[in-house]
């Protein structure tokens, strides 16, 4: 079963962090992103609501992200065609009558947990309750560092990478990898109906890697747990627990001796061979310590860039060998990745075909994107 390059369109994808959109929040006034091959122009209304329009003016295809905002309307920077948040053109140069077909697609949005999620498929099927949640990413009881790195590689390669953490031992030695990661067996569960894959690796007596030793202060041997939840196609969650050897959570769920990190990746296909890798590290310890935040940001970005380098190389190899009869051997540690491939293939097969270019769809209640919808927060 090959790594997929096609997209499951009737799904939610992260298009941006909330803070990337809107000049008042320090983001870009109009942000250009391409999700599942669809160019998007993201901006905020004067009321702060995020909007995603097709990033191509209906007139001469000029990117709307190169335009300006006037009273919550997007003005094309080439000839001044002006669009409201529903994608309807409300003004054209040189005449008072606006052609009835002058409109661009407006995509349903949901803004949750610090992410801006976009629905690329059939707008009628966009259900905000289906957005996978990571509530600690916007929880004041957790401290979060984050970033985004683009990959010149298909998104399926990143899914494979994150569901098989044995590569930490070899690719990330000296950062997060220790011998025990590759040596410890995993347990895997796949909920095919809900599109969730779970992979767990519990190391009860392991070396403490620098990523955790330098941020928690624990030295020597530790108990290290890695519990993965992959919500296909976009969200990967790693629940990480570091504690002194012999420490286990209490029967009531309390775990005072442990340090917890919630590591998230939003895996967003941009094109068939490029990917946005949104990454976050949330922690429940040293929450006010800016040095710990700076360390975790720098260290995790270094780890992500090691993955980027490896996956960009792997994409070149994969592209060169495409169409050939090449054997790919899988073993026990690949169970999670193979389950994810099956789920993705089923999602792709069941997705709606792209809507006609320039034809916006309405959005269901509770999701921004239609002219009367309310953004989900």
């Amino acid at each position: 079963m090959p790594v997929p390059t096609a997209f499951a369109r009737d799904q939610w994808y992260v298009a941006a962090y909330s803070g990337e959109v809107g000049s008042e929040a320090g983001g870009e006034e109009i942000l250009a992103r391409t999700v599942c091959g669809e160019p998007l122009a993201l901006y905020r209304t004067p009321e702060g609501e995020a909007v995603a329009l097709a990033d191509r003016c209906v007139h001469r295809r000029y990117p709307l992200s190169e335009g300006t905002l006037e009273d919550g309307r997007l003005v094309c920077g080439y000839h001044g065609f002006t669009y409201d948040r529903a994608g309807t053109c409300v003004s054209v140069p040189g005449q008072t009558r606006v052609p009835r077909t002058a409109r661009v697609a407006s995509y349903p949005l949901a803004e949750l947990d610090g992410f801006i999620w976009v629905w690329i498929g059939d707008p009628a099927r966009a259900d905000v309750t289906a957005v996978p949640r990571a509530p600690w990413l916007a929880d004041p009881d957790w401290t979060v560092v984050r970033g985004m790195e683009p990959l010149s590689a298909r998104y399926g390669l990143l899914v494979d990478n994150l569901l098989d953490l044995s590569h930490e031992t070899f690719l990330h030695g000296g950062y997060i990898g220790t011998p025990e990661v590759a040596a410890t067996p995993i347990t895997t569960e796949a909920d095919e109906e809900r599109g969730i894959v779970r992979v767990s690796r519990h190391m009860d007596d392991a070396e403490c890697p620098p990523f955790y030793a330098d941020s928690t202060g624990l030295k020597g041997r530790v108990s290290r747990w890695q519990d993965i939840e992959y919500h296909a196609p976009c969200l990967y969650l790693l629940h990480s627990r570091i504690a002194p050897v012999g420490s286990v959570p209490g029967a009531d769920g309390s775990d005072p001796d442990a340090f917890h990190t919630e590591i998230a990746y939003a895996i967003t296909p941009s094109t068939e061979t490029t990917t946005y890798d949104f990454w976050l590290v949330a922690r429940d310890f040293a929450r006010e310590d800016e040095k710990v935040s700076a360390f975790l940001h720098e260290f995790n970005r270094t780890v992500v860039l090691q993955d980027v380098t490896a996956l960009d190389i792997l994409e070149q190899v994969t592209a060169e060998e495409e169409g050939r009869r090449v054997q790919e051997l899988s073993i026990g540690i690949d169970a999670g990745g193979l389950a994810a491939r099956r789920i993705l293939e089923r999602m792709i097969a069941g997705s709606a075909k792209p809507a006609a270019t320039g034809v916006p769809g309405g959005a269901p209640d509770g999701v921004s994107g239609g002219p009367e919808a309310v953004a989900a927060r």
Side-chain angles (χ1 to χ4, degrees):
M1 181 184 301
V3 174
T5 56
F7 316 126
R9 298 183 63 85
D10 283 338
Q11 300 291 332
W12 290 100
Y13 292 94
V14 171
Y17 289 119
S18 292
E20 290 186 281
V21 180
S23 56
E24 289 187 7
E28 301 209 16
E29 189 173 41
I30 308 172
L31 178 68
R33 284 278 155 82
T34 298
V35 176
C36 295
E38 299 289 336
L40 307 178
L42 298 150
Y43 67 97
R44 291 189 185 275
T45 66
E47 296 74 32
E49 183 178 349
V51 177
L53 299 183
D55 193 17
R56 296 291 184 267
C57 180
V58 73
H59 179 229
R60 289 295 180 265
R61 309 294 297 160
Y62 193 72
L64 292 177
S65 56
E66 296 293 328
T68 58
L69 293 175
E70 292 183 6
D71 298 324
R73 293 173 172 178
L74 186 50
V75 182
C76 179
Y78 194 13
H79 293 105
F81 277 59
T82 302
Y83 301 88
D84 64 18
R85 60 175 299 280
T88 303
C89 184
V90 296
S91 175
V92 298
Q95 62 187 58
T96 57
R97 187 184 69 84
V98 178
R100 181 178 56 81
T101 57
R103 52 177 54 198
V104 299
S106 174
Y107 295 88
L109 289 183
E111 191 165 4
L112 296 165
D113 304 327
F115 289 127
I116 295 177
W117 295 83
V118 64
W119 181 274
I120 296 296
D122 179 358
R125 300 179 68 179
D127 177 6
V128 71
T129 65
V131 175
R133 300 300 304 273
W136 51 87
L137 300 180
D139 188 329
D141 290 333
W142 293 76
T143 299
V144 183
V145 297
R146 69 194 74 203
M148 191 277 283
E149 303 299 332
L151 277 74
S152 297
R154 64 197 69 190
Y155 74 102
L157 293 176
L158 182 55
V159 174
D160 267 4
N161 170 279
L162 293 172
L163 283 169
D164 175 15
L165 294 182
S166 68
H167 78 275
E168 289 183 353
T169 300
F170 309 99
L171 189 61
H172 305 308
Y175 291 89
I176 58 175
T178 67
E180 294 82 8
V181 181
T184 303
I186 61 171
T187 61
T188 304
E189 298 178 10
D191 187 335
E192 302 268 349
E193 185 174 341
R194 297 175 61 204
I196 301 174
V197 179
R198 295 182 174 87
V199 179
S200 292
R201 176 185 280 106
H202 287 189
M203 298 160 277
D204 294 325
D205 187 352
E207 179 185 336
C208 190
F211 184 83
Y212 292 110
D214 292 353
S215 60
T216 68
L218 288 177
K219 305 296 181 183
R221 311 292 290 182
V222 295
S223 173
R224 182 182 181 187
W225 293 3
Q226 297 174 326
D227 293 303
I228 296 168
E229 287 180 54
Y230 170 59
H231 297 256
C234 187
L235 189 65
Y236 169 99
L237 307 174
L238 170 60
H239 312 294
S240 179
R241 176 185 184 272
I242 300 291
V245 172
S247 171
V248 295
D252 60 355
S254 61
D255 200 12
D257 297 328
F259 299 84
H260 303 92
T261 55
E262 297 288 352
I263 300 171
Y265 288 84
I267 306 164
T268 301
S270 178
T271 67
E272 288 189 350
T273 56
T274 59
T275 304
Y276 298 120
D277 182 358
F278 296 88
W279 58 266
L280 306 95
V281 179
R283 69 182 189 273
D284 66 354
F285 58 91
R287 292 182 45 247
E288 306 298 327
D289 194 323
E290 294 185 5
K291 290 183 178 179
V292 171
S293 292
F295 169 79
L296 289 175
H297 184 278
E298 179 183 357
F299 235 59
N300 202 71
R301 183 170 186 267
T302 297
V303 169
V304 170
L305 289 175
Q306 289 172 335
D307 282 332
V308 169
T309 298
L311 296 178
D312 286 357
I313 292 171
L314 192 53
E315 173 61 39
Q316 294 175 22
V317 172
T318 303
E320 289 170 1
E321 295 181 344
E322 214 136 33
R324 300 186 201 171
R325 296 178 63 89
V326 178
Q327 181 181 7
E328 184 183 72
L329 176 67
S330 295
I331 58 175
I333 59 173
D334 300 307
L338 293 175
R341 291 188 192 185
R342 290 193 302 272
I343 290 170
L344 288 170
E345 289 294 346
R346 192 181 70 253
M347 285 182 168
I348 292 165
S351 284
K353 293 182 179 179
T357 301
V359 180
D365 292 341
V367 184
S368 63
E372 299 179 0
V374 179
R377 293 285 176 180

